[in-house]
Each structure stands twice: as C-alpha cells, then as structure tokens.
Amino acid sequence: YQLLVPRGKYHGLMLEIKSPGKKPTLEQRTLLAVLGSQGYMAAWAAGFEDSWAIVENYMQLGEYTA
C-alpha cells in the first residue's frame, strides 16, 4: 500500500500488508528498509486493523516539515 501524502518528516507511507500470522519476506523487509532510508515511513502490518492504525497514526503526524 502506498500513501503518497507527505506528513511530518516523511515523503509518504509505504505499507506491506500481510495476513494475520504471516510475516514479510526478506526481500520485502529489505525494500522497506531502503524506502525508510530514503525518507518514507515504511512498515508492515498484519491485517486490516493493524494497517488502519498505522495509516491513522501517519496522518496525524501533521504537515510535512522537511
């Protein structure tokens, strides 16, 4: 999931959504780390509830300040 709306210190939110009980692969974790180093909030979530909580928290970071 990509939310290309800058908030706080981030250029956007990149979110890997997994089924509950599943985890991202090594390749997915590596990509999230690269995106994080390039100014994106990059995370993974297990299911809808976790995903929505991350999106809500991200949107509450306030205006882009970089």
Side-chain angles (χ1 to χ4, degrees):
Y1 176 78
Q2 299 176 0
L3 181 57
L4 301 176
V5 176
R7 302 300 286 172
K9 66 179 184 175
Y10 300 105
H11 302 303
L13 171 64
M14 304 299 182
L15 185 59
E16 178 68 36
I17 303 172
K18 307 306 280 182
S19 298
K22 302 287 184 180
K23 293 186 178 182
T25 65
L26 174 60
E27 292 82 10
Q28 290 167 330
R29 291 191 313 265
T30 300
L31 179 58
L32 290 173
V34 169
L35 290 167
S37 72
Q38 293 179 353
Y40 292 92
M41 176 182 263
W44 72 275
F48 175 79
E49 299 294 328
D50 288 345
S51 301
W52 191 248
I54 291 170
V55 171
E56 283 186 318
N57 289 334
Y58 177 77
M59 291 305 293
Q60 293 176 9
L61 291 177
E63 296 205 20
Y64 183 61
T65 59

